[in-house]
Amino acid sequence: MITSAETLPDLSSPYPLRQEQIEAYQRDGHILLRGVCSPEEIAVYGPIIREAAYRYNTQNLPIEQRDTYGKAFLQIMNLWVRDERVRKYVLARRFARIAAELMGVEGVRLYHDQALFKEAGGGPTPWHQDFYYWPLDTEKTITMWMPLVDADETMGTMTFASGSHTQGFLGHFEISDTSEEYFRNFVAEHGFPLTSAGAMKAGDATFHAGATLHSAPGNKSDRVREVMTIIYFADGVRVMEKPDNKNRWLDLETWLPGVKPGELAVSELNPLVYRKE
């Protein structure tokens, strides 16, 4: 395996977006983009991220002994600060530029990364809004979700409630059986179309807004659904004046160290990854 970050593929070249793709994202709150990483690029970065994820994984309980959240996936966060090779992937200008252009902003900062590995037999990811966890005073947030292996619906690729982001913040529901029941009913009552990412090649990616309701089925295959995610927010936003749940306070302390409510969302963990020239 390549071990030097300097010799890894460069991920700064742009991924050209069409205007209709930008409009579709802003209308639906999500989009699937093919080939964000080439087969050659993901063939190098996939094993590196996989190695780092398992090295830093702290979940040792058997699936049957975990709660609903724990059954959904192994979750390993901020690998970019632990491994210089993963850092090159997470801070890639290509990904950040896509995020900025989809949101229609001049620049984006990193919030954090997270590897989400849904094990064989892993449970479904309940319906939820990412917004609930983030103490950011903005709706200009976006998550890139990229499989490191070829994945189809049997492995648990994403399902989105198209247009649900237009409803804004929908309440204090952490990922749980409660959020699953509440938002499943909410989606049905409001008639939001369900859009599945379906089969995705390694290196394809979905992007979704922080307010977009989404879920994923369980992994019915005999392989691990290995996914890397990166969360961005628009440069220049501030932290909420009064974070209003325990997870927002925890996120503030963890991902925005030293930043106080009402201050600009900038710390050593939130580098400016892209700004339009």
Side-chain angles (χ1 to χ4, degrees):
M1 177 184 294
I2 297 173
T3 57
S4 171
E6 289 74 19
T7 59
L8 294 175
D10 179 38
L11 298 176
S12 62
S13 60
Y15 179 96
L17 287 174
R18 302 188 304 275
Q19 182 60 32
E20 57 263 33
Q21 290 175 312
I22 295 172
E23 292 172 357
Y25 169 82
Q26 295 179 358
R27 179 191 67 236
D28 298 334
H30 63 87
I31 193 167
L32 167 61
L33 300 176
R34 301 291 186 186
V36 175
C37 271
S38 71
E40 295 77 18
E41 290 166 341
I42 204 68
V44 174
Y45 281 103
I48 287 170
I49 296 169
R50 179 182 306 116
E51 177 193 333
Y54 284 121
R55 188 188 329 141
Y56 294 107
N57 171 51
T58 59
Q59 175 60 269
N60 297 311
L61 286 176
I63 289 179
E64 58 272 14
Q65 295 182 24
R66 304 177 203 165
D67 62 12
T68 298
Y69 191 109
K71 290 176 181 176
F73 38 63
L74 301 177
Q75 185 177 35
I76 308 95
M77 300 189 183
N78 256 22
L79 289 173
W80 78 278
V81 300
R82 305 182 188 191
D83 189 305
E84 65 174 5
R85 303 163 306 163
V86 179
R87 177 188 181 95
K88 190 167 183 178
Y89 173 94
V90 172
L91 301 186
R93 179 179 172 86
R94 181 189 304 162
F95 307 153
R97 179 174 177 169
I98 294 172
E101 291 181 347
L102 289 174
M103 290 193 293
V105 301
E106 294 292 303
V108 294
R109 291 185 177 273
L110 176 68
Y111 189 46
H112 65 80
D113 70 55
Q114 51 185 2
L116 299 176
F117 283 22
K118 191 182 287 287
E119 300 151 286
T125 305
W127 281 104
H128 66 282
Q129 258 188 332
D130 296 336
F131 243 14
Y132 161 77
Y133 291 91
W134 302 341
L136 300 169
D137 190 17
T138 182
E139 293 187 359
K140 296 293 188 180
T141 59
I142 191 168
T143 299
M144 183 186 84
W145 192 96
M146 180 181 286
L148 307 177
V149 296
D150 293 349
D152 60 22
E153 290 172 286
T154 66
M155 295 179 73
T157 55
M158 295 276 269
T159 299
F160 302 100
S162 297
S164 58
H165 65 303
T166 61
Q167 303 299 299
F169 180 62
L170 292 173
H172 297 281
F173 296 94
E174 60 186 358
I175 298 174
S176 63
D177 294 332
T178 300
S179 74
E180 167 67 22
E181 180 179 6
Y182 180 85
F183 287 128
R184 184 179 66 246
N185 292 332
F186 182 91
V187 168
E189 290 168 3
H190 287 76
F192 292 116
L194 300 185
T195 305
S196 171
M200 298 175 67
K201 293 288 189 181
D204 292 345
T206 61
F207 288 77
H208 68 272
T212 302
L213 290 169
H214 58 287
S215 65
N219 184 356
K220 298 179 181 178
S221 78
D222 58 359
R223 297 179 296 134
V224 179
R225 186 214 68 186
E226 299 172 350
V227 166
M228 186 63 170
T229 69
I230 307 174
I231 305 165
Y232 306 92
F233 60 87
D235 183 35
V237 307
R238 294 182 178 273
V239 171
M240 292 175 168
E241 290 284 352
K242 295 181 179 180
D244 49 5
N245 66 54
K246 63 179 181 179
N247 284 296
R248 283 177 166 166
W249 278 107
L250 179 60
D251 261 33
L252 177 58
E253 296 170 2
T254 304
W255 310 125
L256 293 152
V259 182
K260 302 294 190 295
E263 293 182 346
L264 283 172
V266 179
S267 80
E268 68 271 15
L269 293 184
N270 315 111
L272 182 68
V273 197
Y274 171 79
R275 173 162 286 282
K276 185 177 180 181
E277 295 176 353

